[in-house]
Amino acid sequence: MPQGFTSEAELEARLVAPSAGLVEDFAKGAGDIVILGAGGKMGPTLAVLARNALNAAGRESDTVYAVSRFGEESVRERLTQAGVEVVQFDLVKNDSLDALPDAPNVIFMVGAKFGAATSPSWAWEVNAALPDRIARRYRTSAIAALSTGNVYPFVPASSGGASEDVAPSPIGEYAQSCLGRERVFEFAAEERGTRVSIVRLNYAVDLRYGVLADIGSAVHSGEPVSVATANVNVVWQGYANEVVLRSLTHASTDVFTINLTGPETLSVDAVAHRFGSLLGRDVTIVGEPQPTALLNDSSRCMALFGYPAVSAQTLIEWQAQWIEAGLPMTAKPTKWAVRDGKF
């Protein structure tokens, strides 16, 4: 079994180590980077990865700004120690965005998912209204906007997933508001000439959270695993962060759109039983497999940025080791199996 990690520090070190491809892309660029919503699940490691890649590319004088409310002091301290400039700022509550740092490169990671079903107006404010204010504030910058594969319809596993050419058909307020986010940034590109890349992600794996953490934890604790949603895509978060950063080089007034996930379509039943084998647990499967799932075709991503250095099978083995060792889980369940769009 591939050697995993014995601590969060080891995991973080792996997540923030830039690839040669990222360093090469950064060596061709210039200017500061502003990361909006940098306090979430992916933001802190993405910010440090960006800082490390800039250093490796000889761009030590360029600044990485991490913007968020930053409720946890430990996150602010970790970013500051890594050389990231922390900007504590509430993007929703502040009427004026003038205090935000200027930069030619912007990553928009702000999103509202959990609670969207009970407070849809909040989801639309964060996911669709705020992007308009950001697009106006940074109209001359290149903007990489995080979106989600939830904007697509459910498709059969045999299809290989929805490609970027499949028309969006979002289910529920969360997915609809995320498509709203995309449309707002598209408008900025069409009307103001803002260069935009849209990255449709599902689902990043960090070991402390994610689809594999959800399934593995259920198996470990003896809980049943539903296979109603029979298939799923996952991707190593280190690779996901790299693609988000590298997508800045493709930002365009034509709007560059890319699916970000792993190349494998995983069987939930097979993943659960693999965890059972690795963790020495019996597996209880429930639910009737449905013929469709939320699946994305990542062929374009693989062609542009190469394959993830960590395969899905290695991620499953690392996840089993992480769970067995009792290492921290730091986020809520992903609700990846939800089929009605209510989060």
Side-chain angles (χ1 to χ4, degrees):
M1 187 184 299
Q3 182 60 44
F5 307 93
T6 61
S7 67
E8 284 191 274
E10 287 185 9
L11 174 62
E12 294 261 340
R14 179 66 180 265
L15 286 168
V16 301
S19 70
L22 176 59
V23 174
E24 183 179 345
D25 277 359
F26 271 21
K28 300 172 185 175
D32 299 338
I33 301 173
V34 168
I35 303 169
L36 303 171
K41 292 185 293 187
M42 292 177 63
T45 54
L46 185 143
V48 178
L49 175 65
R51 178 68 272 163
N52 291 344
L54 287 176
N55 293 346
R59 292 172 55 186
E60 293 88 348
S61 61
D62 288 335
T63 301
V64 176
Y65 295 99
V67 180
S68 179
R69 291 174 297 176
F70 286 116
E72 295 184 26
E73 177 65 30
S74 61
V75 176
R76 298 197 298 271
E77 291 178 353
R78 189 163 75 247
L79 290 174
T80 300
Q81 290 172 1
V84 174
E85 186 75 23
V86 171
V87 180
Q88 199 163 0
F89 191 90
D90 192 317
L91 291 163
V92 174
K93 287 188 176 180
N94 280 285
D95 291 334
S96 173
L97 303 181
D98 292 345
L100 293 176
D102 295 326
N105 307 290
V106 175
I107 297 173
F108 184 81
M109 306 187 75
V110 186
K113 181 177 183 179
F114 302 117
T118 55
S119 185
S121 61
W122 167 72
W124 282 90
E125 167 64 23
V126 175
N127 294 336
L130 176 61
D132 180 66
R133 297 171 63 212
I134 296 299
R136 292 175 186 276
R137 170 66 179 82
Y138 290 106
R139 65 183 63 202
T140 61
S141 303
I143 301 176
L146 262 289
S147 188
T148 171
N150 286 73
V151 300
Y152 289 120
F154 281 47
V155 296
S158 60
S159 70
S163 73
E164 294 85 352
D165 297 324
V166 171
S169 183
I171 300 171
E173 296 271 2
Y174 164 67
Q176 291 164 9
S177 66
C178 290
L179 181 59
R181 174 200 295 138
E182 293 189 12
R183 297 305 190 217
V184 166
F185 280 118
E186 288 170 7
F187 180 83
E190 293 170 2
E191 294 298 315
R192 296 188 290 273
T194 303
R195 290 165 294 134
V196 174
S197 69
I198 291 173
V199 182
R200 293 170 174 167
L201 170 66
N202 68 314
Y203 293 96
V205 170
D206 157 301
L207 303 187
R208 294 168 292 192
Y209 79 91
V211 173
L212 299 183
D214 294 347
I215 298 173
S217 295
V219 170
H220 186 256
S221 61
E223 299 172 10
V225 176
S226 173
V227 295
T229 297
N231 299 94
V232 70
N233 297 136
V234 300
V235 65
W236 169 234
Q237 184 171 295
Y239 177 84
N241 283 341
E242 292 226 357
V243 170
V244 172
L245 290 168
R246 296 181 70 183
S247 77
L248 283 167
T249 64
H250 296 268
S252 167
T253 56
D254 293 329
V255 182
F256 170 77
T257 302
I258 193 164
N259 292 339
L260 172 52
T261 194
E264 308 98 336
T265 297
L266 301 181
S267 158
V268 175
D269 184 283
V271 170
H273 280 93
R274 179 59 176 153
F275 275 123
S277 175
L278 292 168
L279 296 169
R281 298 290 198 277
D282 292 330
V283 178
T284 302
I285 297 295
V286 296
E288 185 67 26
Q290 299 301 302
T292 61
L294 186 66
L295 300 168
N296 285 10
D297 179 349
S298 61
S299 300
R300 182 179 296 177
C301 184
M302 301 298 115
L304 284 173
F305 303 115
Y307 282 74
V310 183
S311 70
Q313 292 307 312
T314 296
L315 286 173
I316 293 169
E317 291 166 3
W318 282 357
Q319 189 70 69
Q321 293 173 7
W322 189 269
I323 293 169
E324 190 71 24
L327 291 166
M329 298 291 187
T330 59
K332 297 177 181 178
T334 58
K335 298 188 178 182
W336 57 272
V338 167
R339 301 184 65 85
D340 62 4
K342 296 179 180 179
F343 295 97

PDB file of all heavy atoms in Angstrom, residues 132-145:
ATOM      1  N   ASP A 132     -21.153  39.626  -9.382  1.00  0.00           N
ATOM      2  CA  ASP A 132     -21.270  40.834 -10.190  1.00  0.00           C
ATOM      3  C   ASP A 132     -20.434  41.961  -9.600  1.00  0.00           C
ATOM      4  O   ASP A 132     -19.734  42.685 -10.334  1.00  0.00           O
ATOM      5  CB  ASP A 132     -22.729  41.276 -10.288  1.00  0.00           C
ATOM      6  CG  ASP A 132     -22.892  42.535 -11.119  1.00  0.00           C
ATOM      7  OD1 ASP A 132     -22.626  42.477 -12.330  1.00  0.00           O
ATOM      8  OD2 ASP A 132     -23.247  43.578 -10.545  1.00  0.00           O
ATOM      9  N   ARG A 133     -20.459  42.107  -8.278  1.00  0.00           N
ATOM     10  CA  ARG A 133     -19.669  43.150  -7.633  1.00  0.00           C
ATOM     11  C   ARG A 133     -18.173  42.876  -7.799  1.00  0.00           C
ATOM     12  O   ARG A 133     -17.381  43.792  -8.038  1.00  0.00           O
ATOM     13  CB  ARG A 133     -20.029  43.217  -6.147  1.00  0.00           C
ATOM     14  CG  ARG A 133     -21.485  43.596  -5.889  1.00  0.00           C
ATOM     15  CD  ARG A 133     -21.843  43.436  -4.427  1.00  0.00           C
ATOM     16  NE  ARG A 133     -21.053  44.334  -3.597  1.00  0.00           N
ATOM     17  CZ  ARG A 133     -20.663  44.066  -2.358  1.00  0.00           C
ATOM     18  NH1 ARG A 133     -20.970  42.898  -1.806  1.00  0.00           N
ATOM     19  NH2 ARG A 133     -19.967  44.947  -1.670  1.00  0.00           N
ATOM     20  N   ILE A 134     -17.806  41.612  -7.705  1.00  0.00           N
ATOM     21  CA  ILE A 134     -16.396  41.242  -7.879  1.00  0.00           C
ATOM     22  C   ILE A 134     -15.957  41.498  -9.321  1.00  0.00           C
ATOM     23  O   ILE A 134     -14.868  42.021  -9.584  1.00  0.00           O
ATOM     24  CB  ILE A 134     -16.184  39.764  -7.512  1.00  0.00           C
ATOM     25  CG1 ILE A 134     -16.487  39.524  -6.025  1.00  0.00           C
ATOM     26  CG2 ILE A 134     -14.771  39.314  -7.865  1.00  0.00           C
ATOM     27  CD1 ILE A 134     -15.618  40.305  -5.067  1.00  0.00           C
ATOM     28  N   ALA A 135     -16.794  41.116 -10.263  1.00  0.00           N
ATOM     29  CA  ALA A 135     -16.449  41.294 -11.679  1.00  0.00           C
ATOM     30  C   ALA A 135     -16.272  42.764 -12.022  1.00  0.00           C
ATOM     31  O   ALA A 135     -15.425  43.127 -12.852  1.00  0.00           O
ATOM     32  CB  ALA A 135     -17.515  40.659 -12.561  1.00  0.00           C
ATOM     33  N   ARG A 136     -17.068  43.635 -11.404  1.00  0.00           N
ATOM     34  CA  ARG A 136     -16.925  45.071 -11.645  1.00  0.00           C
ATOM     35  C   ARG A 136     -15.666  45.614 -10.959  1.00  0.00           C
ATOM     36  O   ARG A 136     -14.949  46.438 -11.528  1.00  0.00           O
ATOM     37  CB  ARG A 136     -18.170  45.812 -11.158  1.00  0.00           C
ATOM     38  CG  ARG A 136     -19.404  45.505 -11.977  1.00  0.00           C
ATOM     39  CD  ARG A 136     -20.658  46.148 -11.400  1.00  0.00           C
ATOM     40  NE  ARG A 136     -21.849  45.724 -12.120  1.00  0.00           N
ATOM     41  CZ  ARG A 136     -22.303  46.256 -13.245  1.00  0.00           C
ATOM     42  NH1 ARG A 136     -21.646  47.283 -13.787  1.00  0.00           N
ATOM     43  NH2 ARG A 136     -23.388  45.802 -13.827  1.00  0.00           N
ATOM     44  N   ARG A 137     -15.394  45.138  -9.749  1.00  0.00           N
ATOM     45  CA  ARG A 137     -14.198  45.590  -9.011  1.00  0.00           C
ATOM     46  C   ARG A 137     -12.924  45.194  -9.748  1.00  0.00           C
ATOM     47  O   ARG A 137     -11.936  45.952  -9.765  1.00  0.00           O
ATOM     48  CB  ARG A 137     -14.217  44.984  -7.592  1.00  0.00           C
ATOM     49  CG  ARG A 137     -12.939  45.168  -6.775  1.00  0.00           C
ATOM     50  CD  ARG A 137     -12.687  46.633  -6.448  1.00  0.00           C
ATOM     51  NE  ARG A 137     -11.488  46.812  -5.639  1.00  0.00           N
ATOM     52  CZ  ARG A 137     -10.250  46.860  -6.105  1.00  0.00           C
ATOM     53  NH1 ARG A 137     -10.037  46.742  -7.427  1.00  0.00           N
ATOM     54  NH2 ARG A 137      -9.227  47.033  -5.296  1.00  0.00           N
ATOM     55  N   TYR A 138     -12.914  44.010 -10.344  1.00  0.00           N
ATOM     56  CA  TYR A 138     -11.703  43.494 -10.986  1.00  0.00           C
ATOM     57  C   TYR A 138     -11.909  43.328 -12.497  1.00  0.00           C
ATOM     58  O   TYR A 138     -11.464  42.351 -13.094  1.00  0.00           O
ATOM     59  CB  TYR A 138     -11.312  42.159 -10.348  1.00  0.00           C
ATOM     60  CG  TYR A 138     -10.797  42.309  -8.936  1.00  0.00           C
ATOM     61  CD1 TYR A 138     -11.584  41.935  -7.848  1.00  0.00           C
ATOM     62  CD2 TYR A 138      -9.532  42.824  -8.687  1.00  0.00           C
ATOM     63  CE1 TYR A 138     -11.105  42.066  -6.540  1.00  0.00           C
ATOM     64  CE2 TYR A 138      -9.047  42.954  -7.391  1.00  0.00           C
ATOM     65  CZ  TYR A 138      -9.844  42.582  -6.320  1.00  0.00           C
ATOM     66  OH  TYR A 138      -9.364  42.715  -5.032  1.00  0.00           O
ATOM     67  N   ARG A 139     -12.539  44.313 -13.110  1.00  0.00           N
ATOM     68  CA  ARG A 139     -12.892  44.208 -14.524  1.00  0.00           C
ATOM     69  C   ARG A 139     -11.685  44.085 -15.448  1.00  0.00           C
ATOM     70  O   ARG A 139     -11.805  43.506 -16.542  1.00  0.00           O
ATOM     71  CB  ARG A 139     -13.751  45.405 -14.930  1.00  0.00           C
ATOM     72  CG  ARG A 139     -13.062  46.760 -14.873  1.00  0.00           C
ATOM     73  CD  ARG A 139     -14.043  47.874 -15.221  1.00  0.00           C
ATOM     74  NE  ARG A 139     -15.127  47.944 -14.243  1.00  0.00           N
ATOM     75  CZ  ARG A 139     -16.305  48.495 -14.497  1.00  0.00           C
ATOM     76  NH1 ARG A 139     -16.553  49.001 -15.694  1.00  0.00           N
ATOM     77  NH2 ARG A 139     -17.223  48.551 -13.562  1.00  0.00           N
ATOM     78  N   THR A 140     -10.518  44.596 -15.049  1.00  0.00           N
ATOM     79  CA  THR A 140      -9.338  44.523 -15.919  1.00  0.00           C
ATOM     80  C   THR A 140      -8.414  43.361 -15.553  1.00  0.00           C
ATOM     81  O   THR A 140      -7.345  43.218 -16.137  1.00  0.00           O
ATOM     82  CB  THR A 140      -8.539  45.836 -15.851  1.00  0.00           C
ATOM     83  OG1 THR A 140      -8.083  46.053 -14.506  1.00  0.00           O
ATOM     84  CG2 THR A 140      -9.394  47.005 -16.304  1.00  0.00           C
ATOM     85  N   SER A 141      -8.821  42.554 -14.597  1.00  0.00           N
ATOM     86  CA  SER A 141      -8.000  41.422 -14.158  1.00  0.00           C
ATOM     87  C   SER A 141      -8.404  40.140 -14.878  1.00  0.00           C
ATOM     88  O   SER A 141      -9.485  40.050 -15.477  1.00  0.00           O
ATOM     89  CB  SER A 141      -8.167  41.210 -12.643  1.00  0.00           C
ATOM     90  OG  SER A 141      -7.827  42.364 -11.914  1.00  0.00           O
ATOM     91  N   ALA A 142      -7.528  39.141 -14.798  1.00  0.00           N
ATOM     92  CA  ALA A 142      -7.904  37.783 -15.188  1.00  0.00           C
ATOM     93  C   ALA A 142      -8.550  37.139 -13.972  1.00  0.00           C
ATOM     94  O   ALA A 142      -7.984  37.168 -12.879  1.00  0.00           O
ATOM     95  CB  ALA A 142      -6.673  36.990 -15.626  1.00  0.00           C
ATOM     96  N   ILE A 143      -9.734  36.566 -14.141  1.00  0.00           N
ATOM     97  CA  ILE A 143     -10.477  35.985 -13.029  1.00  0.00           C
ATOM     98  C   ILE A 143     -10.703  34.502 -13.278  1.00  0.00           C
ATOM     99  O   ILE A 143     -11.264  34.116 -14.309  1.00  0.00           O
ATOM    100  CB  ILE A 143     -11.844  36.676 -12.836  1.00  0.00           C
ATOM    101  CG1 ILE A 143     -11.658  38.167 -12.576  1.00  0.00           C
ATOM    102  CG2 ILE A 143     -12.618  36.025 -11.696  1.00  0.00           C
ATOM    103  CD1 ILE A 143     -12.973  38.930 -12.480  1.00  0.00           C
ATOM    104  N   ALA A 144     -10.259  33.671 -12.333  1.00  0.00           N
ATOM    105  CA  ALA A 144     -10.580  32.248 -12.340  1.00  0.00           C
ATOM    106  C   ALA A 144     -11.692  32.030 -11.321  1.00  0.00           C
ATOM    107  O   ALA A 144     -11.503  32.274 -10.127  1.00  0.00           O
ATOM    108  CB  ALA A 144      -9.356  31.413 -11.979  1.00  0.00           C
ATOM    109  N   ALA A 145     -12.862  31.620 -11.781  1.00  0.00           N
ATOM    110  CA  ALA A 145     -14.026  31.470 -10.916  1.00  0.00           C
ATOM    111  C   ALA A 145     -14.325  29.992 -10.681  1.00  0.00           C
ATOM    112  O   ALA A 145     -14.526  29.232 -11.630  1.00  0.00           O
ATOM    113  CB  ALA A 145     -15.244  32.148 -11.542  1.00  0.00           C
TER     114      ALA A 145
END
